[in-house]
């Protein structure tokens, strides 16, 4: 089966794509959904003074607002209806997944299959509403505390801001789910990808302009671009790297016929968690800045002001916490998406075993041992890829869109999307082969 799939994958071409009508419909739907998202990032929040806000944002763009703006696709810079982006949903997902590991009732729901997953998803939506409401209210209060940012401050502005921003987040959550089910998959990731990709042209133009004016030297710009290309190559290499465990199936007898035992592989990705640790870590680091929006900065105690300033983008504390959170979520998310015990039980049920390892509990322990070792490598890789460009960005002043998190998200989502498209094309060829075999069988019957 594996060799047949590889043969089909090697035969994929433009002719196959031209015949894949369902795939083309999914691609057009995905592009239309992303276009709607991009249009929403340009619709301004009502009741705001655009000129005054633009000046206020420029003074804070190098800090945590710049990171938030990157994930929101520039919507924060314009304070659009999608300014909250998809981050409340991601934060709610973190909280719910953490709770499934410590709350027995939620852990039981996770084991109930599709029905339990739907209930957990509903809890995630409720959490998105709560977090989105709190963050939107914090933004409203923060805007009112600024000088001349709001035309008519008061409870009406706060209410309209909360409803508008929360509605934008819920719409994006729904749009991501539609892309996943009716598009080519990875809906939430594609929305974040589209936001980051939209900021790349202006970031590159800004970098070249800094080089033209002499603010950045040509050697420095070329060095940053070379580092970015090297990081992209590293991401592609590691994201496709696997540790394959040999799985042996014994001989079996069906009737009077004896079938030879098969050998296959259990692929374990070097970075099982993918891009999720970087997104989770970034979203958590945005929470303190959001909470600070509830009060006037002049009313905050000195220690709180110091902590908020230390969590600014490019600060040492930000770097340390960012790396620690990435490493933590690399192990945490790997434990969620891959259960060695379930894998060992499935192998035992189908008669498969790892040579030299007893089926059952010993197999689960061995898989967990191997998975832990490669996850250590994967976590180090994630921290390196995300932190190194961030240090260069902080020290050189190159625009934030060239940071490690954005590169990791864009390359990883691109690889996943290409894999999804190839999967649809392979399924299309399988369907064609099945139809041909049925037609041949019918002709022979006649």
């Amino acid at each position: 089966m594996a060799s047949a799939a590889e043969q089909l994958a090697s035969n994929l071409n433009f002719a196959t794509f031209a015949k894949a009508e369902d795939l083309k419909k999914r691609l057009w739907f995905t592009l239309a959904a992303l276009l709607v998202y991009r249009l929403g990032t340009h619709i301004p929040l009502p009741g705001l003074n655009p000129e005054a806000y633009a000046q206020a944002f420029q003074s804070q763009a190098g800090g945590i607002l710049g990171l938030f703006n990157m994930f929101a696709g520039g919507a924060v810079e314009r304070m659009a209806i999608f300014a909250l982006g998809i981050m409340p949903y991601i934060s709610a997902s973190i909280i719910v997944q953490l709770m499934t590991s410590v709350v027995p009732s939620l852990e039981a729901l996770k084991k109930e299959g599709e029905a339990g997953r739907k209930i957990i998803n509903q809890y995630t939506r409720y959490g998105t509403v709560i977090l989105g409401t709190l963050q939107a209210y914090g933004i409203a209060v923060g805007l009112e505390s600024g000088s001349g940012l709001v035309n008519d401050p008061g409870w009406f502005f706060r209410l309209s801001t909360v409803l508008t921003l929360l509605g934008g987040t819920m719409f994006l959550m729904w749009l991501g789910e539609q892309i996943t089910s009716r598009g080519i998959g990875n809906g939430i990731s594609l929305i974040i990808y589209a936001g980051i990709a939209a900021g790349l042209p202006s970031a590159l133009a800004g970098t070249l302009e800094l080089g033209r004016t002499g603010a950045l030297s040509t050697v420095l710009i070329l060095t940053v671009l070379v580092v970015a290309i090297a990081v992209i190559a590293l991401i592609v290499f590691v994201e496709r790297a696997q540790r394959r465990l040999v799985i042996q199936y014994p001989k079996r007898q069906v009737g009077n016929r004896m079938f030879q035992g098969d050998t296959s592989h259990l692929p374990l990705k070097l970075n099982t968690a993918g891009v999720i640790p970087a997104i989770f870590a970034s979203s958590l680091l945005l929470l303190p800045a959001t909470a600070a929006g509830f009060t006037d900065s002049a009313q905050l105690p000195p220690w709180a002001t110091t902590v908020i300033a230390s969590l600014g983008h490019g600060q040492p504390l930000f770097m340390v916490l960012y790396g620690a959170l990435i490493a933590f979520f690399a192990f945490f998310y790997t434990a969620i998406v891959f259960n060695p015990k379930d894998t060992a039980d499935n192998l035992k049920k189908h008669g498969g075993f790892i040579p030299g390892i007893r089926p059952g509990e010993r197999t689960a322990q061995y898989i967990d041992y191997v998975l832990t070792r490669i996850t250590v490598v994967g976590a180090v890789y994630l921290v390196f890829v995300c932190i190194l460009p961030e240090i260069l960005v902080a020290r050189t002043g190159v625009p934030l869109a060239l940071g490690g998190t954005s590169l990791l998200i864009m390359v990883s989502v691109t690889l996943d999307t290409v894999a999804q498209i190839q999967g649809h094309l392979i399924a299309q060829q399988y369907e064609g082969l099945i139809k041909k075999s049925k037609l041949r069988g019918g002709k022979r019957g006649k």
Side-chain angles (χ1 to χ4, degrees):
M1 183 65 71
S3 59
E6 292 174 358
Q7 182 66 29
L8 282 175
S10 64
N11 292 333
L12 296 179
N13 49 39
F14 287 106
T16 306
F17 178 80
K19 297 177 183 178
E21 295 297 330
D22 180 66
L23 176 59
K24 287 191 286 187
K25 291 179 181 178
R26 288 178 175 272
L27 286 173
W28 280 116
F29 178 85
T30 301
L31 292 175
L34 294 178
L35 178 62
V36 170
Y37 161 63
R38 292 304 304 156
L39 290 175
T41 61
H42 289 80
I43 301 175
L45 191 70
L48 203 64
N49 186 336
E51 293 79 11
Y53 177 77
Q55 294 178 0
F57 178 83
Q58 289 301 322
S59 63
Q60 301 291 331
I64 201 74
L65 279 182
L67 185 63
F68 208 162
N69 186 56
M70 181 189 72
F71 284 118
V76 175
E77 182 180 2
R78 295 178 285 270
M79 193 44 67
I81 59 175
F82 290 162
L84 272 183
I86 205 68
M87 284 304 157
Y89 175 77
I90 295 175
S91 300
S93 300
I94 297 172
I95 296 172
V96 171
Q97 289 180 357
L98 283 171
M99 292 179 65
T100 55
S101 302
V102 296
V103 179
S105 58
L106 291 178
E107 188 176 3
L109 281 175
K110 188 171 67 173
K111 296 180 179 179
E112 290 182 4
E114 184 66 20
R117 188 180 63 83
K118 288 182 178 179
I119 296 176
I120 292 177
N121 287 341
Q122 195 64 29
Y123 289 157
T124 304
R125 296 188 183 99
Y126 294 150
T128 303
V129 172
I130 295 173
L131 291 178
T133 301
L134 294 175
Q135 292 182 16
Y137 183 76
I139 290 174
V141 173
L143 291 173
E144 285 186 337
S145 65
S147 177
L149 299 181
V150 179
N151 296 326
D152 187 16
W155 279 106
F156 180 77
F157 172 77
R158 296 181 186 181
L159 180 61
S160 64
T161 299
V162 170
L163 292 178
T164 302
L165 294 180
L166 179 61
T169 294
M170 300 306 293
F171 177 78
L172 287 182
M173 181 184 70
W174 175 82
L175 192 66
E177 293 175 350
Q178 295 303 308
I179 294 174
T180 300
S181 60
R182 301 175 59 185
I184 56 176
N186 300 324
I188 301 299
S189 298
L190 280 175
I191 288 177
I192 299 176
Y193 173 92
I196 296 174
L200 279 180
S202 61
L204 291 175
T207 302
L208 295 177
E209 179 64 20
L210 290 174
R212 188 185 68 83
T213 59
L216 292 177
S217 66
T218 304
V219 175
L220 179 59
I221 294 176
L222 292 177
T223 301
V224 172
L225 290 178
V226 169
V227 170
I229 294 173
V231 169
I232 291 173
L234 176 63
I235 293 172
V236 173
F237 175 78
V238 176
E239 292 299 324
R240 297 174 67 90
Q242 294 179 347
R243 168 72 159 87
R244 294 188 173 186
L245 300 180
V246 178
I247 305 297
Q248 184 72 42
Y249 291 92
K251 297 180 181 179
R252 67 185 190 278
Q253 183 174 359
V254 179
N256 295 326
R257 299 185 60 184
M258 178 67 71
F259 290 88
Q260 185 68 28
D262 295 329
T263 300
S264 64
H265 296 88
L266 175 64
L268 300 178
K269 290 188 64 177
L270 190 62
N271 178 29
T272 306
V275 72
I276 296 298
I279 297 177
F280 278 11
S282 300
S283 63
L284 279 185
L285 288 176
L286 292 174
L287 292 179
T290 304
F294 281 100
T295 57
D296 188 358
S297 58
Q299 298 177 357
L300 289 174
W303 65 267
T305 305
T306 303
V307 170
I308 296 299
S310 299
L311 289 177
H313 185 74
Q315 298 298 320
L317 181 60
F318 173 87
M319 298 291 187
V320 172
L321 290 179
Y322 188 38
L325 287 173
I326 289 175
F328 167 75
F329 282 118
F331 284 93
F332 172 73
Y333 198 74
T334 299
I336 289 178
V337 300
F338 192 94
N339 190 325
K341 188 176 186 307
D342 293 343
T343 303
D345 291 341
N346 289 331
L347 287 176
K348 185 177 181 180
K349 185 185 302 183
H350 292 89
F353 63 93
I354 299 175
I357 307 296
R358 293 181 59 183
E361 185 65 27
R362 294 295 298 274
T363 298
Q365 293 176 359
Y366 178 75
I367 295 175
D368 182 65
Y369 169 74
V370 174
L371 187 64
T372 301
R373 292 178 64 188
I374 64 175
T375 303
V376 171
V377 179
V380 172
Y381 143 78
L382 284 175
V383 172
F384 174 79
V385 165
C386 292
I387 294 297
L388 177 63
E390 299 293 333
I391 294 175
L392 292 177
V393 168
R395 295 293 181 268
T396 61
V398 176
L400 183 64
L402 296 177
T405 306
S406 57
L407 287 177
L408 178 64
I409 292 174
M410 292 191 66
V411 176
S412 299
V413 174
T414 299
L415 292 175
D416 290 342
T417 302
V418 170
Q420 292 274 359
I421 294 174
Q422 288 181 343
H424 284 291
L425 291 176
I426 291 174
Q428 176 79 16
Q429 283 206 341
Y430 267 124
E431 291 176 2
L433 291 175
I434 292 174
K435 288 180 181 179
K436 288 181 181 179
S437 63
K438 287 183 178 180
L439 290 175
R440 292 173 181 173
K443 291 180 181 179
R444 291 175 181 175
K446 291 180 182 180

